[in-house]
Amino acid sequence: MWLKPEEVLLKNALKLWVTQKSSCYFILQRRRGHGEGGGRLTGRLVGALDAVLDSNARVAPFRILLQVPGSQVYSPIACGELLTGSDVYWAIAAGATLEEINQHWDWLEQNLLHTLSVFDNKEDIASFVKGKVKALIAEETSSKLAEQEEEPEKFREALVKFEARFNFPEAEKLVTYYSCCCWKGKVPRQGWLYLSINHLCFYSFFLGKELKLVVPWVDVQKLERTSNVFLTDTIRITTQNKERDFSMFLNLSEVFMIMEQLADVTLRRLLDNEVFDLDPDLQEPSQITKRDLEARAQKEFFRAFFRLPRKEKLHAVVECSLWTPFNRCHTPGRLFASDSYICFASKEDGCCNVVLPLREVVSIEKMEDTSLLPNPIIVSIRSRMAFQFIELKDRDSLVESLLARLKQVHATHPVHYDTSSNEDMTSPVFHSTNMCSDHKFGDLEIVSSQNREESEKEKSPLLNPEALFTLFQQSDSQSPESHVSREQIKITLWNDHFAEYGRTVCMFRTEKIRKLVAMGIPESLRGKLWMLFSDAVTDLASHPGYYGNLVEESMGKCCLVTEEIERDLHRSLPEHPAFQNETGIAALRRVLTAYAYRNPKIGYCQSMNILTSVLLLYAKEEEAFWLLVAVCERMLPDYFNHRVIGAQVDQSVFEELIKEHLPELAEHMTDLTALASVSLSWFLTLFLSIMPLESAVNVVDCFFYDGIKAIFQLGLAVLEANAEDLCNSKDDGQALMILSRFLDHIKNEESPGPSVGSYHAVFSDDQEPHPVTDIADLIRDSYEKFGDQSVEQIEHLRRKHRIRVLQGHEDTTKQNVLRVVIPEVSIVPEDLEELYDLFKREHMMSCYWEQPSPVLQRHDPSRPYAEQYRIDPQQFTSLFKLVSPWTCGVHTEILAQRTFRLLDDNMDHLIEFKAFAGCLDTMYNGEMNEKIKLLYRLHIPPALTENDQDSQSPLKNPLLSTSRPLVFGKSNGDTTDYQKQLKQMIKDLAKEKDKTEKELPKMSQREFIQFCKTLYSMFHEDPEENNLYQAIATVTTLLLQIGEVSQRSSSGSCSQDAGEDLRAAALCPEQDSVFVDNGTVPQDGQEFPEAGREGDWTVSLEHILASLLTEQSLVNFFEKPLEIKSKLENAKINQYSLKNSEISHQPHAELKLSNL
């Protein structure tokens, strides 16, 4: 690696370096302790020094120095360090290996050495060499990603060391690196931590001992910050078998964030690609940089905090202050600018948040800069409000980019203002919301609100124009006046709040509005506020006519999803009158079917029907659809899919919160998974399925304002209210009964409608009255006691527990596959588990570094367990070489290809673990007849094909060499007896043949030649090699005779010349019969019968088996016990190096995933 020439003062370097080569201008040196002659003690001390030094002084083991004769100035051009006295050198190159540094040395000799002699001035020589080296660095850097890093030079050095130390393919992109300690027990090992796209690697060289750790991200089961007795803060990596602690980072928080992002991205990309879509910047793993991961972490926080669409790209985050008129001051915080939004979040959590969709923005203007208002801008919106931001750094470029995106948004969706002038500010219907929905996009004319509504009614006459609760109002016989007055009081409070804080999606969101939400939103305002809090109102306004078109396209189509929807329609809030007639049922059918049509990845999942039913009660049908979109795609990501990963992750987070906030309860209920059976529905249905409806809608109010945080804290409040009873419960069943009874008796005293019990209430026939809990009190307690969790903390916990949940699914897949395979094989379960890990790792390594083959699909967790991991022919060949006992030298790859074709029953060029394990089990543990049968099948179609590369090409070596004869000398008179023996053997085999087993086709002579070659290759380097060759020669002679007898007995018209020649060659006692190139007999050069005539010469499996049984050495070979454990241990060590070797031998175009 060429280094940027740097003038350094070198002292006492002769104690650290040894000169290997020198010329009049250059010196090649080796670091003591590397290679030979370094001195054992000196080498260890230098190695320890290199490992402990946490600076750029840590160097590669080889370097080249530039020396200018007669000058005090030298240049170390490979890797410069200390030399003698006060001499100064120039560092221009470094080498991790002798081969690498020699390449640089050769280049210097061939390209520079002769040129330098023409210079008279010594300074010119130094300048020329430095300029040439800088040019080489620029050329080298242009082909790599080093320039994308903050410090390209240092990154290039680290990249060279990473590649030399771990020998990964080029496709394994290094993301970043850190100096740290890895703890081995109580002993720290100082070294370097390398984080790449697929692996975490650590390297240390201390006192002559080298330590290398390689941990694939897909093997990480837990990633956490922890502390031990020695250090207060460490990063712990937990895999299936080990825990590793890393500490002494300069910035541990940064390292942990990068690790978190890498683990999350890699695990979701490889293990959870069912619904996971990577950000565009992370689509190509080989292009990921540290800055990309830092940006992703910021984007995730931004989208989670403001609950915006995943496609929303964050462009800028700026520190600033916002004028807040309700408290008449500037509130410090951060401004977030994305594709379609300007958002603000105060530094003090919950103090003030603002969401400004760009489609609501009218103008963005810079104000005059003053001492009181530094760098101000004004953002004006359509509802006659303006937002003043001050203290903006780089204001001009920010405003320029905001105006460009504003222009783009308005060009895509032109905004047309409402022509009606009537504005009822006291109406519960929001003025700004009307404006949002009254603007038609794509048309140039201005359309009035009334005309718009009429045109929409004509276009979609089937859609419900009002929320269902207005059509099916229920009255409460008990003091209806008091409930109505309470509703009016709430409406008055909300209208007062709107007047001060705004009534649109752009309102100031403060602690005051949170308290109003916790009290319960008035029913007349509930649907509209849900639309504003979730920002579904923006989606609705941006997609006019979208829902109506979906309904028209999706209705009437029948598929599995629509059948599931029909099955659940009448189970959705059956107690409510709105869903006891066709009006509500039809609306529910349309919304669910339209959403399944919009998002086939999710389609329809149970619990969506309950949620959609409640949305339809309080929102118009089209609004309910967009609310469902917001919940499924933004607010509860990954909840509604095949494996409900998102819900399981939040369940796991909830368990950790229980341990943190309710330690006594967690200690009593040691296995918190028992709670999962009841609490999972809390998350999936937002308490709607287990709480009376009039109470549960208050929970939904909080959810739309605060997101999943509201569900976490309410769940904790429920457990805390029942903690004493739960701790006294005798078993899990009693604990679940306590929770169910409590939730069923949560009432809403302020609800204007009658009580509607929970549809899923289990214990409605209580033997004794249960105390009633008011939902308002429960929600207030949840905010007061458990409302301190921030969005950032929750997102961190989600990332942490997503690893655990995904690995839990992987373990489930593994156990289910092993449970099916174990009864069918004789391999012990422990070895079978290791074999499965190798099988999965082979699949993963191809995902890491190779372009996926056309037939090899990504890991699909929605497939049956046995089909989730499958391997293609290339991967199978690699595994076969590692674990198969039938090693045949260069012939092994051909045998592996035939084995794959045999196992690929459905011809899809993929095989599952079950087939692979069954084949290996036969090789290791099968009886001799089973092994011979497998070998036999490997040499007949479909395993052996006409295009088989080995059978089509001439044999490179004689099948059996002349030094090991096929026919050994026989005494006179034996020939006649031998022929009788062959005839008798054929008769006996015909009698003993098992008629119940499907007969295998007979083997032709061409196939028999390949069978013999495989046996010959298998015996190579065996301790009994000579005896086995003698035995196989005898057996082959015997089988040739059997084939001749079968040929004559089956068809008397076969070629007599060929038969006589074969028999004479086999029985002649004076000569040896051998197979040579092209299947010829060397005595007279006669070829074996060609394709048409060769078909008459056949032997069967029974013939071969009986012949092999005549030789004890062959019987011993196939019946000797084979140990798979040692093979597995060796495979674990060599699997990576073998894959790297295979990739390095592929054509250069296939070496990289993508060199863009």
Side-chain angles (χ1 to χ4, degrees), residues 464 468 547 582-592 616 621:
N464 284 343
L468 292 180
Y547 174 68
E582 187 56 29
T583 302
I585 295 295
L588 181 60
R589 178 187 295 113
R590 289 192 293 269
V591 172
L592 291 175
L616 284 167
E621 184 175 327

Side-chain angles (χ1 to χ4, degrees), residues 705-753:
Y705 184 76
D706 268 324
I708 196 63
K709 170 186 173 181
I711 307 302
F712 282 128
Q713 64 193 33
L714 187 67
L716 291 171
V718 168
L719 294 179
E720 196 246 1
N722 294 273
E724 185 177 350
D725 292 338
L726 290 172
C727 288
N728 294 329
S729 61
K730 298 178 181 179
D731 52 37
D732 294 340
Q734 185 178 359
L736 299 184
M737 182 185 298
I738 291 169
L739 289 174
S740 296
R741 292 183 64 187
F742 176 83
L743 291 166
D744 195 40
H745 287 81
I746 295 177
K747 304 300 180 184
N748 187 353
E749 300 297 337
E750 299 182 358
S751 174

